[in-house]
Amino acid sequence: MAHAKAGASLPVPNVQALAQTWHGSGEPVPGRYVRTEEMGAGEVVAGCAIRVVDLSRLLDPRSSEEELANLGSACQHWGFFQLINHGVLDEVIQDVKRDMIEFFKLPLEAKKVHAQVPGGLEGYGQSFVFSETQKLDWADMIYLMISPKESRDLRFWPTRTPSFRDSVDRYSAETAKVTASLLRFMAADLGVEPEHLLEAFRGQPQSMRTTYYPPCRQAADVLGLSPHTDATGLALLLHVNDVQGLQIRRDGKWHAVNPLDGAFVVSIGDILEILSNGRYRSIEHRVVVHPDKERISAAMFHQPCPNTTTGPLPELVNRDSGGARYRSMDYMDFMNNFFASKLDGRRSHMDAMRIY
Ligand code: OGA
Ligand code: NI
């Protein structure tokens, strides 16, 4: 059995190409994608309206206090919310959506120019595959380091969609602003100095995972993205083509998320759970695919800077009678743990952090 280098994934078939030839074939879906048992386990609740947080109300002194309570409760009890009136210009969003859609329309050979290289995480391909027998997700993705600019490896950046780099630049700057603003309000809700929370994200590093989920006529038997929590501070998810598929786990059930038009779906990541000493929750989620529509989404991850130690904020630990509920760890070690095992829901890399 082949083994990948720590963190890097084994190469897997291209699912977009596979789906195209398989769809008309009359054959059952290849065995490595069959997840019928997993899909059948646990009830799915349709039409879940996750909490709505309104950034313009947070910024308006007349409504700020009320909206802050709403934000805090969404972070504590849901770990997910949708953000409206976030102030990102529609033009910026439309441009980045267009370029992502165009990228996945390119012929396979043109996309493969940006394929992952052995041992690496970035580029076009898949993550979290470590054995030849592991079940596979019904999706392809392109993962890029976005910010700071020195962290970019332009080999992996699409070039056949010439405006991609510019669109992503503007989108990255806007999402970073929104995130900084959210972190300030979260600090207010947690009762810590905003600078202490922002300091954990100094320089605002970002990476982005854009995922293409092909349609699947056996949609009930496959998973687009295995259950996981986000090993990051905060993720802003953009529905690139308005097809739903995200589900979050709450009280043992899967809830299908139907965000409002134009909203970002915000996910509290593991790092915020740790920084907040467990007040905020990073929640398990997964993606199911559509029987006849492709789905494209883009998650912008906001993470601590490399080479910083991440642990519960001292202000909160001092206030909590039980002390620190999580260990402190070098962020790069934490990420290496995360990328070194398959996605298994709740979640071996966090168990290493928890103090019982
Ligand atoms: C992710 C993720 C959800 C989606 O990339 O971590 O959860 O809807 N994506 O694609
Ligand atoms: Ni996720």
PDB file of all heavy atoms in Angstrom, residues 80 209 225-226 228-232 235 237 246 267 283 285-287 299 301, ligand 2:
ATOM      1  N   PHE A  80     -22.136  27.915  13.759  1.00  0.00           N
ATOM      2  CA  PHE A  80     -22.342  28.303  12.361  1.00  0.00           C
ATOM      3  C   PHE A  80     -23.361  29.436  12.342  1.00  0.00           C
ATOM      4  O   PHE A  80     -24.280  29.450  13.153  1.00  0.00           O
ATOM      5  CB  PHE A  80     -22.979  27.138  11.563  1.00  0.00           C
ATOM      6  CG  PHE A  80     -22.004  26.332  10.775  1.00  0.00           C
ATOM      7  CD1 PHE A  80     -21.347  25.279  11.364  1.00  0.00           C
ATOM      8  CD2 PHE A  80     -21.759  26.603   9.428  1.00  0.00           C
ATOM      9  CE1 PHE A  80     -20.446  24.505  10.656  1.00  0.00           C
ATOM     10  CE2 PHE A  80     -20.857  25.840   8.705  1.00  0.00           C
ATOM     11  CZ  PHE A  80     -20.199  24.785   9.310  1.00  0.00           C
ATOM     12  N   ARG A 209     -10.195  26.988  -0.136  1.00  0.00           N
ATOM     13  CA  ARG A 209     -10.490  25.693  -0.751  1.00  0.00           C
ATOM     14  C   ARG A 209     -11.740  25.874  -1.605  1.00  0.00           C
ATOM     15  O   ARG A 209     -12.822  26.154  -1.083  1.00  0.00           O
ATOM     16  CB  ARG A 209     -10.734  24.674   0.361  1.00  0.00           C
ATOM     17  CG  ARG A 209     -11.076  23.289  -0.103  1.00  0.00           C
ATOM     18  CD  ARG A 209     -11.473  22.411   1.089  1.00  0.00           C
ATOM     19  NE  ARG A 209     -12.373  21.396   0.591  1.00  0.00           N
ATOM     20  CZ  ARG A 209     -12.048  20.095   0.487  1.00  0.00           C
ATOM     21  NH1 ARG A 209     -10.904  19.656   0.895  1.00  0.00           N
ATOM     22  NH2 ARG A 209     -12.922  19.238  -0.010  1.00  0.00           N
ATOM     23  N   LEU A 225     -18.282  15.754   0.720  1.00  0.00           N
ATOM     24  CA  LEU A 225     -17.181  16.077   1.636  1.00  0.00           C
ATOM     25  C   LEU A 225     -17.474  15.375   2.956  1.00  0.00           C
ATOM     26  O   LEU A 225     -18.550  15.556   3.536  1.00  0.00           O
ATOM     27  CB  LEU A 225     -17.078  17.604   1.803  1.00  0.00           C
ATOM     28  CG  LEU A 225     -15.971  18.156   2.697  1.00  0.00           C
ATOM     29  CD1 LEU A 225     -14.592  17.694   2.257  1.00  0.00           C
ATOM     30  CD2 LEU A 225     -16.005  19.693   2.719  1.00  0.00           C
ATOM     31  N   SER A 226     -16.511  14.569   3.405  1.00  0.00           N
ATOM     32  CA  SER A 226     -16.685  13.776   4.631  1.00  0.00           C
ATOM     33  C   SER A 226     -16.883  14.684   5.842  1.00  0.00           C
ATOM     34  O   SER A 226     -16.399  15.826   5.860  1.00  0.00           O
ATOM     35  CB  SER A 226     -15.436  12.928   4.873  1.00  0.00           C
ATOM     36  OG  SER A 226     -15.245  12.027   3.830  1.00  0.00           O
ATOM     37  N   HIS A 228     -16.415  16.669   9.097  1.00  0.00           N
ATOM     38  CA  HIS A 228     -15.191  17.253   9.664  1.00  0.00           C
ATOM     39  C   HIS A 228     -15.545  18.528  10.405  1.00  0.00           C
ATOM     40  O   HIS A 228     -16.655  19.049  10.269  1.00  0.00           O
ATOM     41  CB  HIS A 228     -14.189  17.600   8.546  1.00  0.00           C
ATOM     42  CG  HIS A 228     -14.688  18.693   7.642  1.00  0.00           C
ATOM     43  ND1 HIS A 228     -15.641  18.484   6.676  1.00  0.00           N
ATOM     44  CD2 HIS A 228     -14.411  20.031   7.587  1.00  0.00           C
ATOM     45  CE1 HIS A 228     -15.902  19.618   6.053  1.00  0.00           C
ATOM     46  NE2 HIS A 228     -15.177  20.576   6.593  1.00  0.00           N
ATOM     47  N   THR A 229     -14.599  19.020  11.185  1.00  0.00           N
ATOM     48  CA  THR A 229     -14.693  20.387  11.674  1.00  0.00           C
ATOM     49  C   THR A 229     -13.572  21.162  10.986  1.00  0.00           C
ATOM     50  O   THR A 229     -12.635  20.553  10.474  1.00  0.00           O
ATOM     51  CB  THR A 229     -14.517  20.454  13.205  1.00  0.00           C
ATOM     52  OG1 THR A 229     -13.240  19.893  13.540  1.00  0.00           O
ATOM     53  CG2 THR A 229     -15.618  19.686  13.923  1.00  0.00           C
ATOM     54  N   ASP A 230     -13.677  22.473  10.949  1.00  0.00           N
ATOM     55  CA  ASP A 230     -12.674  23.258  10.228  1.00  0.00           C
ATOM     56  C   ASP A 230     -11.493  23.570  11.164  1.00  0.00           C
ATOM     57  O   ASP A 230     -11.671  24.219  12.188  1.00  0.00           O
ATOM     58  CB  ASP A 230     -13.286  24.555   9.691  1.00  0.00           C
ATOM     59  CG  ASP A 230     -14.288  24.283   8.572  1.00  0.00           C
ATOM     60  OD1 ASP A 230     -14.194  23.222   7.930  1.00  0.00           O
ATOM     61  OD2 ASP A 230     -15.185  25.120   8.354  1.00  0.00           O
ATOM     62  N   ALA A 231     -10.307  23.114  10.759  1.00  0.00           N
ATOM     63  CA  ALA A 231      -9.123  23.315  11.605  1.00  0.00           C
ATOM     64  C   ALA A 231      -8.546  24.701  11.364  1.00  0.00           C
ATOM     65  O   ALA A 231      -7.412  24.847  10.940  1.00  0.00           O
ATOM     66  CB  ALA A 231      -8.081  22.249  11.289  1.00  0.00           C
ATOM     67  N   THR A 232      -9.351  25.701  11.625  1.00  0.00           N
ATOM     68  CA  THR A 232      -8.958  27.065  11.305  1.00  0.00           C
ATOM     69  C   THR A 232      -9.600  27.980  12.348  1.00  0.00           C
ATOM     70  O   THR A 232     -10.246  27.491  13.276  1.00  0.00           O
ATOM     71  CB  THR A 232      -9.457  27.374   9.873  1.00  0.00           C
ATOM     72  OG1 THR A 232      -8.989  28.641   9.466  1.00  0.00           O
ATOM     73  CG2 THR A 232     -10.971  27.371   9.784  1.00  0.00           C
ATOM     74  N   ALA A 235     -14.081  30.318   9.048  1.00  0.00           N
ATOM     75  CA  ALA A 235     -14.189  30.108   7.607  1.00  0.00           C
ATOM     76  C   ALA A 235     -15.407  30.856   7.082  1.00  0.00           C
ATOM     77  O   ALA A 235     -16.480  30.822   7.695  1.00  0.00           O
ATOM     78  CB  ALA A 235     -14.310  28.625   7.290  1.00  0.00           C
ATOM     79  N   LEU A 237     -17.820  30.842   3.963  1.00  0.00           N
ATOM     80  CA  LEU A 237     -18.163  29.972   2.839  1.00  0.00           C
ATOM     81  C   LEU A 237     -19.061  30.724   1.855  1.00  0.00           C
ATOM     82  O   LEU A 237     -20.077  31.300   2.240  1.00  0.00           O
ATOM     83  CB  LEU A 237     -18.885  28.722   3.354  1.00  0.00           C
ATOM     84  CG  LEU A 237     -19.239  27.695   2.286  1.00  0.00           C
ATOM     85  CD1 LEU A 237     -17.991  26.924   1.843  1.00  0.00           C
ATOM     86  CD2 LEU A 237     -20.297  26.717   2.790  1.00  0.00           C
ATOM     87  N   LEU A 246     -24.651  21.643   1.952  1.00  0.00           N
ATOM     88  CA  LEU A 246     -23.986  21.633   3.260  1.00  0.00           C
ATOM     89  C   LEU A 246     -24.959  21.147   4.344  1.00  0.00           C
ATOM     90  O   LEU A 246     -26.127  21.551   4.363  1.00  0.00           O
ATOM     91  CB  LEU A 246     -23.506  23.055   3.571  1.00  0.00           C
ATOM     92  CG  LEU A 246     -22.853  23.294   4.931  1.00  0.00           C
ATOM     93  CD1 LEU A 246     -21.548  22.521   5.065  1.00  0.00           C
ATOM     94  CD2 LEU A 246     -22.599  24.779   5.140  1.00  0.00           C
ATOM     95  N   SER A 267     -18.306  29.644   9.587  1.00  0.00           N
ATOM     96  CA  SER A 267     -18.097  28.488  10.454  1.00  0.00           C
ATOM     97  C   SER A 267     -17.033  28.827  11.487  1.00  0.00           C
ATOM     98  O   SER A 267     -15.966  29.345  11.161  1.00  0.00           O
ATOM     99  CB  SER A 267     -17.684  27.301   9.562  1.00  0.00           C
ATOM    100  OG  SER A 267     -16.742  26.493  10.170  1.00  0.00           O
ATOM    101  N   ILE A 283     -18.222  23.037  14.847  1.00  0.00           N
ATOM    102  CA  ILE A 283     -19.275  22.035  14.658  1.00  0.00           C
ATOM    103  C   ILE A 283     -18.976  21.158  13.442  1.00  0.00           C
ATOM    104  O   ILE A 283     -18.507  21.640  12.415  1.00  0.00           O
ATOM    105  CB  ILE A 283     -20.648  22.754  14.448  1.00  0.00           C
ATOM    106  CG1 ILE A 283     -21.021  23.569  15.694  1.00  0.00           C
ATOM    107  CG2 ILE A 283     -21.749  21.772  14.099  1.00  0.00           C
ATOM    108  CD1 ILE A 283     -21.450  22.750  16.867  1.00  0.00           C
ATOM    109  N   HIS A 285     -19.532  19.160  10.173  1.00  0.00           N
ATOM    110  CA  HIS A 285     -20.381  19.370   8.997  1.00  0.00           C
ATOM    111  C   HIS A 285     -19.902  18.485   7.856  1.00  0.00           C
ATOM    112  O   HIS A 285     -18.795  17.929   7.898  1.00  0.00           O
ATOM    113  CB  HIS A 285     -20.410  20.849   8.598  1.00  0.00           C
ATOM    114  CG  HIS A 285     -19.055  21.491   8.434  1.00  0.00           C
ATOM    115  ND1 HIS A 285     -18.259  21.839   9.502  1.00  0.00           N
ATOM    116  CD2 HIS A 285     -18.353  21.846   7.327  1.00  0.00           C
ATOM    117  CE1 HIS A 285     -17.139  22.384   9.064  1.00  0.00           C
ATOM    118  NE2 HIS A 285     -17.156  22.394   7.734  1.00  0.00           N
ATOM    119  N   ARG A 286     -20.721  18.352   6.839  1.00  0.00           N
ATOM    120  CA  ARG A 286     -20.395  17.515   5.679  1.00  0.00           C
ATOM    121  C   ARG A 286     -21.142  18.088   4.474  1.00  0.00           C
ATOM    122  O   ARG A 286     -21.967  18.996   4.625  1.00  0.00           O
ATOM    123  CB  ARG A 286     -20.819  16.060   5.929  1.00  0.00           C
ATOM    124  CG  ARG A 286     -22.336  15.881   5.973  1.00  0.00           C
ATOM    125  CD  ARG A 286     -22.741  14.415   6.186  1.00  0.00           C
ATOM    126  NE  ARG A 286     -24.174  14.243   5.995  1.00  0.00           N
ATOM    127  CZ  ARG A 286     -24.812  13.088   6.125  1.00  0.00           C
ATOM    128  NH1 ARG A 286     -24.148  12.006   6.467  1.00  0.00           N
ATOM    129  NH2 ARG A 286     -26.116  13.018   5.912  1.00  0.00           N
ATOM    130  N   VAL A 287     -20.855  17.534   3.305  1.00  0.00           N
ATOM    131  CA  VAL A 287     -21.557  18.013   2.102  1.00  0.00           C
ATOM    132  C   VAL A 287     -22.124  16.813   1.354  1.00  0.00           C
ATOM    133  O   VAL A 287     -21.433  15.813   1.144  1.00  0.00           O
ATOM    134  CB  VAL A 287     -20.599  18.809   1.186  1.00  0.00           C
ATOM    135  CG1 VAL A 287     -21.310  19.227  -0.104  1.00  0.00           C
ATOM    136  CG2 VAL A 287     -20.063  20.049   1.902  1.00  0.00           C
ATOM    137  N   ALA A 299     -14.451  28.033   0.352  1.00  0.00           N
ATOM    138  CA  ALA A 299     -14.271  28.345   1.775  1.00  0.00           C
ATOM    139  C   ALA A 299     -12.992  29.151   1.929  1.00  0.00           C
ATOM    140  O   ALA A 299     -11.918  28.706   1.513  1.00  0.00           O
ATOM    141  CB  ALA A 299     -14.187  27.056   2.587  1.00  0.00           C
ATOM    142  N   PHE A 301     -10.475  30.330   4.531  1.00  0.00           N
ATOM    143  CA  PHE A 301     -10.098  30.012   5.911  1.00  0.00           C
ATOM    144  C   PHE A 301      -9.199  31.101   6.470  1.00  0.00           C
ATOM    145  O   PHE A 301      -8.236  31.510   5.820  1.00  0.00           O
ATOM    146  CB  PHE A 301      -9.340  28.679   5.966  1.00  0.00           C
ATOM    147  CG  PHE A 301     -10.150  27.503   5.467  1.00  0.00           C
ATOM    148  CD1 PHE A 301      -9.817  26.853   4.290  1.00  0.00           C
ATOM    149  CD2 PHE A 301     -11.263  27.061   6.172  1.00  0.00           C
ATOM    150  CE1 PHE A 301     -10.562  25.774   3.827  1.00  0.00           C
ATOM    151  CE2 PHE A 301     -12.016  25.979   5.719  1.00  0.00           C
ATOM    152  CZ  PHE A 301     -11.666  25.346   4.550  1.00  0.00           C
TER     153      PHE A 301
HETATM  154 NI    NI B   2     -15.553  22.669   6.442  1.00  0.00          NI
END
